[in-house]
Amino acid sequence: MAEEISDKHELNHEQMPKRDQWSETHSGQLTSFSLPPDVLSGKHRRRFGPAKLLSVILVLICLLAGFFGGWFEADHSTKAGVSNLTSGAAKEIIVNQGQAISDIASNVGQSVVSVLATQSTASTPGTTSLFGNGGFTTNPAPTTESQDAGTGIIISSEGLIITNRHVVPAGTTSVSITLADGTQYNNVQVVGRTSANDSLDIAFLKITNLNGRKLVPATLGDSSAMQVGDPVVAIGNALGQFQNTVTSGIISGYGRSVEASDSTGATSEDLDDLIQTDAAINEGNSGGPLTNLNGQVIGINVAVASDAQNIGFSIPINDVTGLIKSVEQTGKLEQPYLGIEYVPLSTAVAQQYNLKIDNGAYIPSSSAIGTSSIIAGGPAANAGLKEGDIITKVNGVSVNQTTSLTSILDKLSVGQKITLTVVRNSKTFSIKATLGSAPTG
């Protein structure tokens, strides 16, 4: 039996965004000093005798020396004070941020688990051989067992855990969970996972028997409140063997769309509406949390660029809060959906498709994406949506680069009636639709 442990979820390629150019110029002013004209004029000098003139000059020298000495001392004291203040403030910021990361590692770390999923795959079938008195039988096909190691986030004290779909893919035969303190549970159930072609790579697990123990759930934040440049912390089972590794960085971008695959290239998936971060994310971090400095989970780590440094991607937590609520209430995964393939719009995407609108969910033509962009018989088709439509609002909530169509729909319920604001051929109108239940994997 061959055994392989991995969490291989990488990007085949990622187009690097152009770096914003910026500069800052600092300027200073020279302080000048001059004596009144009547003091320096020849007329006034001729009025004084040598002794008086000498005494006046000495007084003036003393005054000038006192002034420049005082100015020099004050100026340098001020600069030194500003320098010390700046240095002290910077040091305090660094110390405070370091303390915050340490606190996150301690507090959030207890809500982060390591996930080990086992899959069995059939190898080449066995040969047919003689059996008994001339009868034939086929030897059973040998199986190869492999294991995927990833990360999960505890979201309820009763043992509900969220992770990535590719950590516990279809065909998983068993799942074990290891808590931060080393406690291991083998009786873990896969509650549900999104379908393989869904851009939301999410799965839910449940420890069926905690033996009376109450787990510590993570605190969920608001991903839409985060901005590019905000500091973040990632925690995960790095490389599948270094449990609760902590790294830090910033949010580098929003609304990223990527094609991710395992290291063999055998399986791939299209992921949309992702947070980009430069916090180091490695194999095994999949399914782990990306947090703000308050220790609130604002993303679920899902992929890393294999051909670049410090380019990782996370699913915004707002995209899954509706699913979490649904699983907590019903015990099963029911994902509301419209039944469309859409492209999140940005300025660059709008230019690519020659569109006048740069915010919303664009339904491309089937020829552009190679598959049907509107599922036959689905809610969108029944409501009358067409290829080329742009959904700009759902129940009055704008669809934009920080609030995706997916995140809005996932806050709603299966069977709920909604109103879509749609732009078609430069005309804006409303369409009524009833949300269906997305197929799960």
Side-chain angles (χ1 to χ4, degrees):
M1 178 182 295
E3 183 175 70
E4 178 184 1
I5 299 179
S6 65
D7 171 37
K8 307 175 288 292
H9 207 57
E10 302 174 340
L11 302 182
N12 290 329
H13 52 82
E14 168 69 9
Q15 184 176 359
M16 292 292 292
K18 295 181 179 179
R19 185 183 300 275
D20 292 333
Q21 299 298 319
W22 63 276
S23 64
E24 183 177 4
T25 303
H26 295 280
S27 61
Q29 293 183 341
L30 293 176
T31 302
S32 61
F33 178 80
S34 60
L35 291 173
D38 58 346
V39 174
L40 296 178
S41 67
K43 177 181 179 181
H44 282 275
R45 285 199 298 271
R46 284 193 299 268
R47 285 185 178 179
F48 300 122
K52 289 185 177 180
L53 180 60
L54 180 60
S55 64
V56 169
I57 292 174
L58 290 174
V59 170
L60 287 175
I61 290 175
C62 290
L63 289 173
L64 288 172
F67 173 82
F68 281 107
W71 171 79
F72 181 83
E73 181 178 357
D75 180 66
H76 281 259
S77 296
T78 300
K79 289 181 178 178
V82 171
S83 177
N84 289 336
L85 177 62
T86 303
S87 176
K91 183 177 181 180
E92 184 177 357
I93 291 173
I94 293 173
V95 170
N96 288 343
Q97 184 164 322
Q99 185 60 52
I101 294 174
S102 178
D103 291 342
I104 289 169
S106 175
N107 298 328
V108 183
Q110 60 187 332
S111 303
V112 180
V113 302
S114 296
V115 181
L116 188 63
T118 303
Q119 300 96 33
S120 294
T121 55
S123 302
T124 306
T127 57
T128 301
S129 61
L130 288 172
F131 179 77
N133 55 351
F136 289 88
T137 182
T138 300
N139 294 334
T143 60
T144 300
E145 193 173 79
S146 63
Q147 292 181 316
D148 282 335
T151 309
I153 308 168
I154 299 171
I155 55 177
S156 80
S157 59
E158 288 75 30
L160 189 61
I161 295 165
I162 190 169
T163 187
N164 288 145
R165 174 183 63 222
H166 72 265
V167 173
V168 286
T172 296
T173 56
S174 64
V175 179
S176 64
I177 293 293
T178 303
L179 304 183
D181 65 1
T183 303
Q184 184 171 338
Y185 292 95
N186 296 316
N187 53 333
V188 180
Q189 170 193 1
V190 178
V191 175
R193 59 176 73 85
T194 54
S195 64
N197 59 356
D198 195 308
S199 64
L200 201 61
D201 186 341
I202 290 295
F204 289 90
L205 310 175
K206 178 69 182 296
I207 301 175
T208 57
N209 184 6
L210 287 168
N211 298 318
R213 179 169 179 170
K214 292 290 184 181
L215 302 184
V216 180
T219 301
L220 306 185
D222 180 5
S223 53
S224 67
M226 302 296 290
Q227 298 180 2
V228 172
D230 283 350
V232 289
V233 175
I235 305 178
N237 183 15
L239 304 179
Q241 55 184 320
F242 301 114
Q243 188 176 5
N244 281 15
T245 296
V246 179
T247 58
S248 63
I250 63 169
I251 290 181
S252 308
Y254 268 112
R256 304 303 195 210
S257 295
V258 300
E259 180 181 358
S261 67
D262 61 22
S263 59
T264 66
T267 60
S268 65
E269 58 185 11
D270 294 322
L271 306 174
D272 296 323
D273 191 41
L274 301 179
I275 296 172
Q276 180 184 333
T277 179
D278 69 350
I281 295 176
N282 299 285
E283 294 180 3
N285 282 77
S286 288
L290 188 71
T291 79
N292 58 25
L293 288 190
N294 291 324
Q296 298 170 326
V297 178
I298 53 92
I300 300 173
N301 302 322
V302 66
V304 60
S306 59
D307 54 353
Q309 291 184 346
N310 295 342
I311 298 181
F313 298 92
S314 299
I315 300 169
I317 197 63
N318 286 14
D319 286 9
V320 298
T321 50
L323 296 184
I324 293 173
K325 183 178 179 181
S326 173
V327 173
E328 286 178 331
Q329 292 178 345
T330 66
K332 57 183 179 180
L333 175 58
E334 285 189 334
Q335 182 183 7
Y337 91 129
L338 272 175
I340 63 171
E341 295 280 350
Y342 74 94
V343 178
L345 288 183
S346 64
T347 301
V349 174
Q351 292 176 350
Q352 177 185 345
Y353 286 96
N354 196 26
L355 303 173
K356 296 180 179 179
I357 298 176
D358 57 9
N359 275 302
Y362 172 61
I363 306 176
S365 64
S366 298
S367 59
I369 61 176
T371 185
S372 177
S373 56
I374 300 180
I375 308 302
N382 294 337
L385 284 170
K386 297 181 178 180
E387 294 180 357
D389 285 350
I390 302 173
I391 301 172
T392 59
K393 293 181 180 179
V394 179
N395 290 346
V397 179
S398 296
V399 179
N400 52 47
Q401 295 176 49
T402 59
T403 307
S404 68
L405 177 62
T406 299
S407 66
I408 296 174
L409 295 180
D410 283 338
K411 291 183 177 70
L412 306 178
S413 304
V414 173
Q416 184 173 343
K417 297 182 184 299
I418 61 173
T419 300
L420 303 173
T421 301
V422 177
V423 176
R424 178 185 298 167
N425 298 326
S426 300
K427 295 181 179 179
T428 302
F429 57 95
S430 296
I431 287 182
K432 302 287 185 180
T434 303
L435 295 175
S437 179
T440 58

